[in-house]
Amino acid sequence: MKEYVSVWVYSENNNLMLELISCGRSLSDTLKIELTAVLIGDEAEGKADKLVKYGADKVFMINHPTLKESPDEICLATLTDLIATHKPEILLIGSTKNGKELASRIAARLETGCIQDCSYLTINGEGQLITKRVVYSGNAVVTATFSRSPHIATVPLRTFEKLEPTERKGNIMKLEAKAVKPRLDVVSVSKMEVTDVKVEEARIVICGGRGIDSKEDFKPLKELAQILEGQVSNTRPLAEDRKWFSGWVGLSGKKIKPTVYIGCGISGMIQHVAGMRDSKIVVAINKDPEAAIFEFADYMVVGDLYEIVPAIVKELKKALD
Amino acid sequence: MPRIIVCLKQAIDVSQLKADANGRLITAGVSRKISDFDKNALEEAVRLKEALDGEVVTVTASVEDAKTTIREALAMGGDKGYFINDEALQNSDTLAISFVLAEAIKKIGQFDLILCGEASIDGFSAQVGPRLAELLNIPVITYGRKICLEGSVLTVERILEDRYETVKASTPAIVTVTKEINEPRIPSLMAIMKASKKEIVTWRLTDLGVSPGKVGEAGSGIRILDVKAPKVERRRVLIEGETPNEIAEKLVKSLIQEGVVGR
Ligand SMILES: Cc1cc2nc3c(=O)[nH]c(=O)nc-3n(C[C@H](O)[C@H](O)[C@H](O)COP(=O)(O)OP(=O)(O)OC[C@H]3O[C@@H](n4cnc5c(N)ncnc54)[C@H](O)[C@@H]3O)c2cc1C
Ligand SMILES: Nc1ncnc2c1ncn2[C@@H]1O[C@H](COP(=O)(O)O)[C@@H](O)[C@H]1O
């Protein structure tokens, strides 16, 4: 049986960090070992206590005001160095785009395996870390384990629920960032519209696809979202080819698991489904009765979204009055 | 005259996949193709080559025969293909594949830019680009949707979850590209014919001096236990009605009964 010493978590995203702590907590409880959160960046001081309250036993706090959110060399070098010194067996990293790059590069430096976007992590009877993730564009789920240490896994937002904060005692240690020269020069940053950034957190998501002809035609969807206190989102072609919105739902976009997903004019290609298949209730509106999205729907509405969506808005207004 | 290397994966055509009676995925015999984003990487490389009078070579590591796939890349504008083909690559994870690709790239020689896909369509691990950067000790810029190369200065616009970032690096460097960077061309008949005369260099692992311990299960950091088709358990209730209003009414009623709208 393998001997473990500690589980570490890191994410530059504050919410994701708390979710990783929750996941890491259950792994370290099973293994009866310590959970360490690594905090690198701006104002680390103010955040360390919180991480303990949410379940970390130890926090390595590295205050580094110049550190950008990007996984630059400083973050990479600092983490890699710490891991080489303290030898945690399990490292969980928040699966943002930068987080995935960071995880891959740490894994390369330490010559170990890395499993991205885990939807499930557990310790089996033999003390092995077992992971599950989606592959083949959503056509399969692969169960895998590690054969080298540290085991590096990335975990997307909303995969685990953060724990309730409690008054706990933890060990907060201040450390220095490693001084290395950055290789990339960030010239400019432009923020996207914030409305659809939070789609992962929405309880109800109204998603539009290419069945919608113009950006203006999104209005009924937005109205529906407003009544239901949800968010609108879209498929990748609308976001990237037509540039109507910044983010999208799917394999290469956001993974969402709202209570209700309503897909309007979406064909249900596997790459889109990969991002919404964990929704609790799926409603699909499509004029083509053969559309693949219906395979993944709880409620199937065959019809013209231009007629159906406004009618739903009307009915909801009536019902909720 | 930049020299650009495109890492071109021969991926499983995921739209052709089926599961057996036990839900296990059948991958044997499924058709292969250039991984989607790698086509974008190749297209971008060819555009840069056309603008800057450079050279584009592709590199592919695969257990299976990938010559037809590589030939397609050459028809799209690649000048030469390198193919690492060896049974020992079976069960290699990204740790092992990256190592092999890095060794091949060292043997290919001088280059200015390596382009990879954001992720491969079958594995979707988004690891090989960043790992190569570490093995070759050069900068990496992930999720690029616009590339500008001027001399040795590389400027790339990245797309992240909530922002776009423009970053600069000096070459040699690696960029991983997103689908939106371009629309890959469909090669003309002429280009296809020309491609049949272009060279594909095939290497075995011994040609690269890669020992068996570096690939396959021994050279990998992860071990696959099971690959299954995900279960879809949806109710698939068809909401019918004469008019849109009738349909809407039924749907809203159902959602209220589920307790998911209203209180
Ligand atoms: C590597 C890769 C990654 C990808 N990643 C993603 C991803 O993350 N997310 C994503 O969304 N896509 C992704 N895609 C693209 C994906 O394959 C599909 O092309 C895309 O999801 C299709 O979008 P759509 O459903 O909006 O459009 P379409 O497939 O064109 O479907 C439009 C649907 O609207 C219906 N329709 C038309 N008019 C009406 C009407 N008036 N009323 C009702 N229905 C109507 C039609 O019947 C049709 O079914 C990816 C593709 C690749 C190759
Ligand atoms: N076997 C391979 N041969 C050549 N390039 C590869 C191979 N595997 C991955 N790549 C490259 O690395 C990118 C990311 O792949 P992945 O890490 O599998 O998601 C791909 O888009 C390719 O550019």
Side-chain angles (χ1 to χ4, degrees), chain A residues 97 101 105 109 141 236, chain B residues 134 142 161 180 228 258:
Chain A
K97 288 181 173 173
E101 179 190 322
R105 294 175 69 189
R109 288 193 183 186
V141 174
R236 186 165 177 165
Chain B
E134 293 302 316
T142 49
E161 286 83 358
E180 292 70 33
K228 272 201 163 143
E258 297 249 17

Side-chain angles (χ1 to χ4, degrees), chain B:
Chain B
M1 294 233 298
R3 190 151 187 257
I4 305 169
I5 299 179
V6 178
C7 294
L8 194 84
K9 183 176 183 183
Q10 167 165 273
I12 286 182
D13 186 347
V14 294
S15 62
Q16 306 292 322
L17 281 169
K18 299 225 160 33
D20 68 14
N22 298 319
R24 296 239 151 64
L25 222 66
I26 308 164
T27 52
V30 176
S31 60
R32 314 275 152 156
K33 60 170 194 177
I34 301 178
S35 185
D36 297 57
F37 301 137
D38 299 5
K39 249 192 190 167
N40 298 98
L42 177 64
E43 174 65 33
E44 197 61 21
V46 173
R47 288 185 192 189
L48 287 168
K49 154 185 129 162
E50 286 165 353
L52 303 167
D53 192 21
E55 186 196 359
V56 173
V57 306
T58 65
V59 53
T60 303
S62 175
V63 189
E64 333 240 337
D65 187 10
K67 289 214 190 66
T68 315
T69 305
I70 298 169
R71 200 60 79 192
E72 188 188 340
L74 298 180
M76 281 177 66
D79 296 302
K80 190 172 179 180
Y82 290 90
F83 178 29
I84 304 116
N85 184 215
D86 205 305
E87 311 78 69
L89 288 173
Q90 192 76 48
N91 296 328
S92 295
D93 72 352
T94 51
L95 170 66
I97 288 292
S98 305
F99 180 78
V100 169
L101 290 174
E103 292 304 303
I105 288 166
K106 286 177 195 162
K107 186 160 168 153
I108 290 170
Q110 181 276 331
F111 63 89
D112 298 279
L113 192 59
I114 297 178
L115 296 184
C116 287
E118 151 192 346
S120 59
I121 191 69
D122 46 3
F124 220 80
S125 77
Q127 289 190 39
V128 170
R131 278 184 183 268
L132 277 177
E134 293 302 316
L135 294 169
L136 300 168
N137 194 20
I138 56 176
V140 59
I141 304 174
T142 49
Y143 304 97
R145 61 162 205 169
K146 214 180 269 173
I147 297 179
C148 175
L149 180 63
E150 286 167 313
S152 65
V153 181
L154 178 67
T155 310
V156 178
E157 190 174 299
R158 306 180 69 205
I159 173 167
L160 297 173
E161 286 83 358
D162 58 349
R163 62 190 187 279
Y164 302 104
E165 250 182 32
T166 305
V167 300
K168 272 192 193 327
S170 47
T171 58
I174 299 189
V175 181
T176 75
V177 309
T178 66
K179 188 168 179 286
E180 292 70 33
I181 194 164
N182 56 42
E183 192 57 55
R185 71 192 65 191
I186 295 164
S188 65
L189 204 57
M190 184 73 139
I192 294 170
M193 277 160 58
K194 265 202 196 143
S196 65
K197 295 198 192 71
K198 291 180 181 172
E199 190 186 2
I200 297 178
V201 180
T202 305
W203 283 332
R204 295 188 52 82
L205 292 177
T206 46
D207 296 319
L208 299 176
V210 171
S211 67
K214 284 289 196 179
V215 294
E217 222 161 85
S220 295
I222 64 175
R223 205 150 53 75
I224 306 287
L225 303 175
D226 194 19
V227 184
K228 272 201 163 143
K231 277 207 202 79
V232 187
E233 277 160 8
R234 292 288 173 189
R235 282 168 285 166
R236 310 194 60 211
V237 178
L238 181 65
I239 308 276
E240 285 172 299
E242 291 295 317
T243 62
N245 284 340
E246 205 182 314
I247 292 175
E249 197 186 324
K250 281 191 192 163
L251 179 66
V252 168
K253 205 184 263 167
S254 301
L255 292 178
I256 289 173
Q257 269 167 8
E258 297 249 17
V260 290
V261 307
R263 297 131 298 251

Side-chain angles (χ1 to χ4, degrees), chain A residues 86-97:
Chain A
H86 297 269
K87 305 203 165 29
E89 290 81 3
I90 298 175
L91 172 65
L92 307 180
I93 292 184
S95 189
T96 57
K97 288 181 173 173

